[in-house]
């Protein structure tokens, strides 16, 4: 997994948005600097998920940004997405690898060093670690300390991203953590200007990297 691609990772949330506004926010965020997109839909039927993911993929392909599908290997394969992201209660990574083949990116959510090592050993290409802060998304939140995040970065050779409640006002907590990037949901999806918000997030993160 190319580390640079993980710098600003958008996880989508379509809650309360029309399809038109949802797709528009994703495109604006990419124009602001988002380097990878994960579509996350917990409540849609398989058909609805595939139809929406295909529309998102048309946008991400236009800008050569990888699209990752949350949880659903079938949806990822149906739309020929670049990757799939698996949580701790989803399919084992080595089993998923057998299904999707060697070329599809597989990401994994981990919260501890032991989970991270297992995900790496089973073939994960990158890790999402958190939640660093409580979130307002529908996903159940269990907090991970920044010290644990740093320990995970040291324990595995694959890129690690921080996730959970991150916005440009609280990124300083990640100073000194050798992460590849940050995953953002609400800060961008609920922004009046996703493009400007993404641009500012990227600026703050790059400043953090250099400090």
């Amino acid at each position: 997994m190319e580390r640079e691609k993980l710098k600003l990772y958008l996880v989508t949330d379509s809650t309360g948005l029309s399809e038109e506004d949802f797709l528009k926010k994703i495109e604006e965020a990419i124009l602001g600097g988002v380097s990878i997109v994960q579509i996350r839909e917990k409540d849609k039927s398989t058909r609805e998920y595939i139809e929406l993911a295909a529309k998102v993929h048309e946008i991400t392909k236009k800008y050569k940004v990888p699209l990752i599908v949350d949880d659903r290997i079938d949806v990822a394969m149906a739309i020929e997405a670049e990757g799939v992201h698996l949580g701790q209660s989803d399919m084992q990574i080595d089993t998923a690898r057998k299904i999707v083949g060697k070329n599809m990116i597989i990401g994994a959510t981990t919260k501890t060093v032991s989970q991270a090592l297992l995900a790496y050993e089973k073939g994960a290409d990158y890790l999402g670690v958190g939640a660093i802060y409580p979130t307002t998304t529908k996903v159940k939140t269990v907090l991970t300390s920044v010290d644990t995040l740093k320990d995970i970065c040291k324990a595995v050779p694959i890129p690690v991203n921080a996730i959970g409640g991150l916005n440009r006002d609280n990124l300083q907590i990640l100073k000194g953590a050798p992460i590849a990037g940050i995953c953002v949901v609400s800060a961008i999806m609920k922004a009046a200007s996703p493009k400007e918000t993404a641009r500012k997030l990227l600026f703050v993160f790059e400043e953090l990297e250099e400090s």
Side-chain angles (χ1 to χ4, degrees):
M1 179 76 207
E2 194 181 338
R3 186 180 173 93
E4 190 71 16
K5 280 288 183 189
L6 289 165
K7 192 171 277 189
L8 184 54
Y9 187 132
L10 172 63
V11 182
T12 68
D13 181 1
S14 63
T15 306
L17 296 173
S18 67
E19 183 177 290
E20 183 182 358
D21 286 343
F22 174 67
L23 297 174
K24 188 177 175 185
K25 278 182 181 278
I26 293 169
E27 184 158 15
E28 285 187 10
I30 292 172
L31 291 170
V34 161
S35 50
I36 185 167
V37 174
Q38 178 189 136
I39 182 169
R40 182 161 71 186
E41 294 291 339
K42 300 291 187 188
D43 301 323
K44 289 197 179 332
S45 69
T46 299
R47 182 176 297 183
E48 289 170 339
Y49 202 167
I50 287 173
E51 288 175 354
L52 185 60
K55 291 175 183 174
V56 173
H57 203 201
E58 286 303 311
I59 295 169
T60 58
K61 281 191 291 188
K62 183 174 159 186
Y63 298 100
K64 302 187 186 319
V65 167
L67 177 63
I68 309 295
V69 176
D70 182 51
D71 291 351
R72 298 286 298 272
I73 288 174
D74 55 340
V75 174
M77 294 182 75
I79 65 159
E80 299 181 342
E82 283 70 35
V84 65
H85 188 92
L86 302 172
Q88 287 296 312
S89 59
D90 296 326
M91 184 183 293
Q92 289 278 11
I93 293 163
D94 51 352
T95 305
R97 179 64 72 197
K98 288 178 188 172
I99 296 171
V100 303
K102 63 181 180 181
N103 293 327
M104 186 175 280
I105 299 166
I106 298 182
T109 299
T110 62
K111 298 178 183 299
T112 65
V113 171
S114 59
Q115 287 178 357
L117 284 168
L118 184 63
Y120 164 64
E121 289 164 4
K122 287 187 174 292
D125 295 301
Y126 74 90
L127 303 178
V129 174
I132 304 301
Y133 290 101
T135 74
T136 57
T137 63
K138 290 177 282 186
V139 178
K140 188 178 176 183
T141 301
V142 177
L143 298 184
T144 300
S145 72
V146 175
D147 285 342
T148 298
L149 172 67
K150 290 177 180 175
D151 290 342
I152 288 173
C153 291
K154 291 175 188 167
V156 295
I158 54 177
V160 175
N161 267 33
I163 187 170
L166 297 171
N167 59 59
R168 69 185 173 119
D169 295 326
N170 64 22
L171 289 184
Q172 286 301 323
I173 197 173
L174 300 172
K175 188 174 181 179
I179 52 176
I182 52 171
C183 301
V184 177
V185 189
S186 301
I188 288 178
M189 295 306 297
K190 293 183 179 176
S193 173
K195 181 179 178 181
E196 187 63 15
T197 301
R199 192 186 66 76
K200 288 177 179 173
L201 276 165
L202 192 58
F203 178 77
V204 174
F205 178 70
E206 288 178 338
E207 273 198 329
L208 201 62
E209 274 188 308
E210 293 168 4
S211 62

